[in-house]
């Protein structure tokens, strides 16, 4: 087998991509990502065994996040940058090992792989299938994917100057544990839950970082049409990149539009002061192949999700930054102070036509925890009067598989006295359906990006309080979550740690769950897949 990856929902046949990724990842790239993860395990082993204090490892911590983020689905397809990152991490590892001087380290903490050939060769034996027992493999990988999601959120927080050494310490501990053959299934299940606990921590950290810098998201109408100026489209999740782009484009005559997961940036008060922050263009990530054509201007990827561009022309308009990369696309790196120079993108925008209109009108969002708390009396009243019968948390990811039509159909089929709480790019399946409102409360409440699923958990806890209930599981609230990549894994683990039961997860259950591990999730947490729209609506409404 030339590669093996089963970390996302679109994995081939629901079991694993073994020749080429459905996402477009080639075997070389898959192997480099495996080797990068293996290098991180070795580093983590040294950190743990030497008892190093994570709060004193600033450079390493930053590179740990960046490395994990680079391996998230659709983040980085660029072999050269992955190789450079492996070299960087091996250099940091060797320095650390020399200083630490601990005996009995594993090969992950000591191997050499200088040339590209050596890297490919080494990678072949350290991938997912290196773990023979399928249950241990399943748990090790689930933890690793949770850590990838955690790294993404921690990196955004770090970019805003907010860090928590305990989160780094946990990441080293968990990565080292995935190398430890002495740990059995029970220990790994425990560690999986601990990963969820740290997922809650990291999302709280990011929430504090975002809101302290940009204010609390508030109800906002976002334009989905176009203006007449040349423009830049910004995609991904990083708000500091957006802030820098808005600053640098101010007064240039170039507008800025958000794509996919950047949409919720419009909800923050701090970004409303930019008159050239024009609106949102298009839909979820997977529609970019056509939407980037009609957008006509440059595109900046700050994080996942990149779909391999179809033409040289589109590729020439795509720029990457942060952990993202695509061969042939220009990458904008920060200077020492984290400042990025986007002048090349702005200059290109000025030479290109304005975006072509693909839709018009406005969509509403901004229902993160502070905004919903401000509406709490109204919401509680609506539940008490029977105007709202049930809430549905439908957060998560969107994707290109046909079976995701379920989510639009499900939203349409829900009775008019129900409210959908959403976050993540899953929202694009139902945020333009015109589902109306209940006494002024929209039936689709968008809290923000996938990381803002934390807001949904806070809202659930607030509602529990307001109704004087023991557990969120006693609320008229159901979870029908869609997943695709590894950020959804950390969100799911966080929800499990918070005690949420009976989550429905779709459009298919993860291929990385072995039958036994799936059984644990079903028995302990009541997790299940999805059925038909009709059956599921009936089931949920009972
Ligand atoms: Fe396949 Fe998903 Fe891995 Fe890409 S990220 S190779 S689609 S499992
Ligand atoms: Fe979407 Fe890629 Fe996951 Fe952030 S942008 S939710 S899939």
């Amino acid at each position: 087998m030339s590669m093996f990856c089963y970390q996302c929902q679109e994995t081939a046949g629901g079991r694993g991509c073994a020749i080429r990724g459905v996402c477009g990842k080639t075997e070389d790239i898959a192997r480099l990502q495996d080797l990068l993860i293996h290098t991180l395990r070795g580093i983590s082993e040294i950190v743990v065994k030497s008892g190093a204090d994570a709060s004193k490892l600033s450079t390493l911590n930053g590179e740990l996040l960046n490395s994990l983020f680079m391996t998230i689905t659709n983040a980085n397809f660029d072999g050269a940058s992955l190789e450079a990152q492996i070299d960087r991490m091996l250099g940091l590892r060797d320095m650390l090992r020399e200083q630490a001087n601990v005996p009995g380290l594993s090969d992950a903490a000591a191997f050499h792989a200088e040339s590209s050939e050596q890297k490919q060769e080494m990678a072949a034996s350290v991938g997912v299938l290196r773990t023979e027992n399928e249950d241990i493999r399943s748990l090790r990988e689930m933890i690793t994917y949770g850590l990838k999601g955690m790294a993404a959120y921690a990196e955004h927080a770090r970019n805003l100057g907010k860090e928590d050494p305990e989160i780094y310490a946990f990441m080293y501990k968990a990565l080292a544990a995935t190398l430890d053959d002495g740990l059995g299934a029970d220990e790994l299940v425990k560690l999986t839950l601990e990963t969820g606990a740290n997922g809650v921590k990291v999302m709280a950290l990011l929430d504090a970082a975002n809101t302290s810098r940009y204010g609390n998201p508030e109800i906002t109408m976002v334009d989905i049409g176009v203006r007449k100026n040349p423009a830049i489209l910004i995609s991904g999740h990083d708000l500091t990149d957006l802030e820098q782009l808005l600053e640098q484009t101010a007064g240039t005559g170039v507008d800025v539009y958000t794509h996919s997961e950047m949409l919720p940036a419009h909800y923050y008060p701090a970004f409303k002061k930019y008159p050239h922050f024009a609106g949102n263009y298009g839909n979820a990530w997977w529609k970019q192949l056509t939407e980037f054509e009609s957008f006509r201007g440059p595109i900046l990827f700050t994080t996942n999700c990149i779909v391999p561009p179809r033409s040289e022309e589109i590729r020439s308009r795509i720029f990457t930054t942060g952990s993202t990369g695509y061969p042939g696309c220009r990458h904008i790196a920060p200077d020492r102070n984290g400042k990025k120079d986007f002048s090349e993108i702005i200059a290109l925008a000025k030479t290109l036509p304005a975006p072509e209109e693909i839709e018009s009108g406005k969509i509403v969002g901004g229902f993160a925890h502070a905004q919903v708390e401000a509406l709490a009396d109204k919401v509680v009243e609506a539940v008490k009067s029977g105007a709202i019968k049930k809430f549905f948390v439908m957060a998560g990811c969107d994707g290109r598989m046909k079976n995701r039509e379920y989510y639009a159909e499900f939203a349409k089929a829900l009775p008019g006295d129900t409210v959908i709480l959403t976050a993540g790019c899953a929202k694009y399946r139902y945020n333009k359906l015109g589902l109306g409102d209940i006494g002024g409360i929209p039936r689709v409440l968008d809290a923000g990006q996938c990381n803002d699923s934390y807001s949904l958990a806070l809202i659930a806890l607030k509602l529990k309080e307001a109704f004087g209930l023991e557990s969120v599981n006693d609320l008229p609230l159901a979870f029908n979550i869609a997943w695709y990549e590894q950020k959804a894994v950390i969100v799911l683990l966080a929800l499990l740690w918070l005690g949420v039961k009976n989550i429905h997860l779709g459009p298919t259950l993860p291929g990385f769950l072995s039958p036994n591990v799936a059984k644990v999730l079903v028995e302990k947490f009541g997790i299940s897949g999805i059925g038909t729209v009709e059956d599921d609506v009936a089931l949920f409404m009972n």
Side-chain angles (χ1 to χ4, degrees):
M1 205 175 283
S2 55
M3 65 175 273
F4 187 81
C5 180
Y6 63 176
Q7 66 174 353
C8 83
Q9 188 273 325
E10 293 188 0
T11 195
R15 310 166 77 98
C17 296
I19 299 165
R20 187 193 165 92
V22 172
C23 60
K25 189 157 87 175
T26 57
E27 51 181 299
D28 289 21
I29 300 301
R31 279 202 290 252
L32 289 172
Q33 294 186 352
D34 287 347
L35 188 60
L36 185 50
I37 295 292
H38 191 62
T39 309
L40 300 181
R41 290 189 207 112
I43 290 173
S44 301
E45 186 190 15
I46 304 171
V47 171
V48 171
K49 287 192 174 158
S50 68
D53 177 354
S55 71
K56 304 215 165 76
L57 300 172
S58 179
T59 306
L60 187 69
N61 296 338
E63 293 300 341
L64 168 77
L65 301 184
N66 186 30
S67 302
L68 285 165
F69 207 158
M70 288 175 92
T71 70
I72 283 184
T73 300
N74 294 338
N76 200 310
F77 296 85
D78 183 34
S81 65
L82 286 162
E83 286 201 21
Q85 187 65 12
I86 292 169
D87 290 338
R88 194 171 297 128
M89 297 316 284
L90 288 176
L92 287 169
R93 183 202 67 181
D94 292 348
M95 244 163 42
L96 190 70
R97 194 187 52 230
E98 269 159 42
Q99 287 162 6
N101 196 18
V102 277
L105 291 171
S106 71
D107 187 52
F111 75 91
H112 293 282
E114 271 108 46
S115 68
S116 302
E117 292 71 33
Q118 284 169 328
K119 287 188 178 74
Q120 290 292 326
E121 201 181 310
M122 176 75 202
S125 60
V126 301
V128 172
L129 299 178
R130 84 189 196 288
T131 308
E132 274 170 30
N133 179 301
E134 67 167 355
D135 298 327
I136 301 294
R137 184 196 305 148
S138 176
L139 291 164
R140 283 179 173 177
E141 293 303 318
M142 180 153 56
I143 291 165
T144 306
Y145 306 153
L147 293 174
K148 292 184 184 197
M150 198 184 291
Y153 297 151
E155 184 167 289
H156 295 309
R158 183 179 163 107
N159 290 346
L160 285 160
K162 290 256 191 277
E163 294 183 85
D164 179 351
E166 280 183 23
I167 292 174
Y168 296 129
F170 174 75
M171 294 176 91
Y172 292 118
K173 173 179 123 170
L175 276 165
T178 64
L179 205 58
D180 184 349
D181 289 331
L183 297 180
D186 289 347
E187 281 117 329
L188 290 172
V189 167
K190 231 174 111 208
L191 190 63
T192 309
L193 287 181
E194 220 185 306
T195 308
N198 282 275
V200 175
K201 255 193 213 168
V202 79
M203 284 194 271
L205 182 77
L206 179 54
D207 184 76
N210 283 336
T211 54
S212 62
R213 172 93 146 245
Y214 304 120
N216 273 305
E218 52 194 23
I219 303 179
T220 306
M221 299 301 292
V222 181
D223 216 313
I224 55 173
V226 297
R227 298 180 186 173
K228 295 199 162 41
N229 303 319
I232 297 168
L233 190 60
I234 179 166
S235 193
H237 306 67
D238 197 90
L239 299 182
T240 57
D241 287 332
L242 173 70
E243 183 183 12
Q244 296 192 48
L245 184 67
L246 286 171
E247 277 299 319
Q248 293 175 38
T249 41
T252 61
V254 172
D255 289 335
V256 174
Y257 293 80
T258 52
H259 189 254
S260 191
E261 272 287 71
M262 200 55 94
L263 157 67
H266 292 280
Y267 312 154
Y268 288 92
F271 298 126
K272 292 188 174 157
K273 66 173 186 248
Y274 298 99
H276 63 298
F277 193 27
N280 187 72
Y281 190 86
N283 296 277
W285 64 273
W286 60 277
K287 291 203 170 162
Q288 64 188 252
L289 289 178
T290 51
E291 290 172 356
F292 288 0
E293 268 177 41
S294 57
F295 185 75
R296 303 196 282 214
I299 301 113
L300 173 63
F301 271 105
T302 66
T303 69
N304 57 317
C305 281
I306 302 176
V307 178
R310 267 197 213 136
S311 72
E312 194 47 50
E313 192 279 317
I314 305 262
R315 189 175 310 196
S316 73
R317 287 194 273 123
I318 293 180
F319 293 77
T320 61
T321 189
S323 305
T324 62
Y326 197 86
C329 296
R330 274 154 296 173
H331 187 82
I332 314 274
D335 69 12
R336 271 212 206 128
N337 306 313
K339 292 273 163 291
K340 296 181 179 175
D341 179 1
F342 295 130
S343 54
E344 201 186 335
I345 312 180
I346 300 167
L348 177 64
K350 287 179 180 169
T351 67
L352 294 168
E356 181 189 318
E357 184 169 280
I358 51 173
E359 55 192 342
S360 62
K362 287 184 192 296
I363 49 176
V364 67
F367 298 92
H369 57 90
Q371 180 63 81
V372 177
E373 267 166 50
L375 294 173
D377 289 349
K378 212 172 165 182
V379 174
V380 170
E381 198 34 59
V383 176
K384 285 193 176 149
S385 74
I388 296 179
K389 286 260 157 46
K390 198 155 193 163
F391 296 93
F392 285 84
V393 173
M394 290 178 71
C397 307
D398 197 10
R400 60 200 134 193
M401 284 169 116
K402 189 141 174 57
N403 52 8
R404 294 209 183 236
E405 283 167 10
Y406 164 93
Y407 292 102
E409 294 309 316
F410 182 84
K412 280 191 232 165
L414 281 175
D417 51 10
T418 57
V419 170
I420 295 172
L421 304 172
T422 192
C425 61
K427 67 166 92 33
Y428 285 100
R429 291 282 170 175
Y430 34 81
N431 68 346
K432 297 174 184 174
L433 294 177
L435 294 179
D437 64 275
I438 300 174
I441 303 166
R443 288 196 52 231
V444 177
L445 297 179
D446 177 21
Q449 297 181 340
C450 45
N451 46 287
D452 298 310
S453 303
Y454 172 71
S455 254
L456 302 181
L458 282 191
I459 291 167
L461 292 170
K462 279 278 156 214
L463 286 175
K464 180 194 85 170
E465 237 172 68
F467 291 106
L469 298 169
E470 289 270 298
S471 150
V472 287
N473 297 305
D474 301 332
L475 282 167
L477 176 73
F479 286 78
N480 195 2
I481 306 253
W483 82 286
Y484 170 57
E485 35 80 39
Q486 299 76 53
K487 296 181 199 181
V489 175
I490 193 62
V491 171
L492 176 71
L493 296 181
L495 290 175
L496 296 184
W497 189 81
L498 286 170
V500 177
K501 296 264 184 335
N502 303 324
I503 295 174
H504 290 245
L505 185 65
T508 54
L509 290 179
F512 58 77
L513 294 181
S514 68
N516 286 328
V517 172
K519 204 166 143 224
V520 172
L521 291 182
V522 171
E523 283 170 3
K524 268 189 128 165
F525 301 101
I527 285 203
S528 60
I530 56 170
T532 65
V533 168
E534 219 181 27
D535 289 353
D536 286 358
V537 171
L539 176 85
F540 280 122
M541 291 311 292
N542 277 326

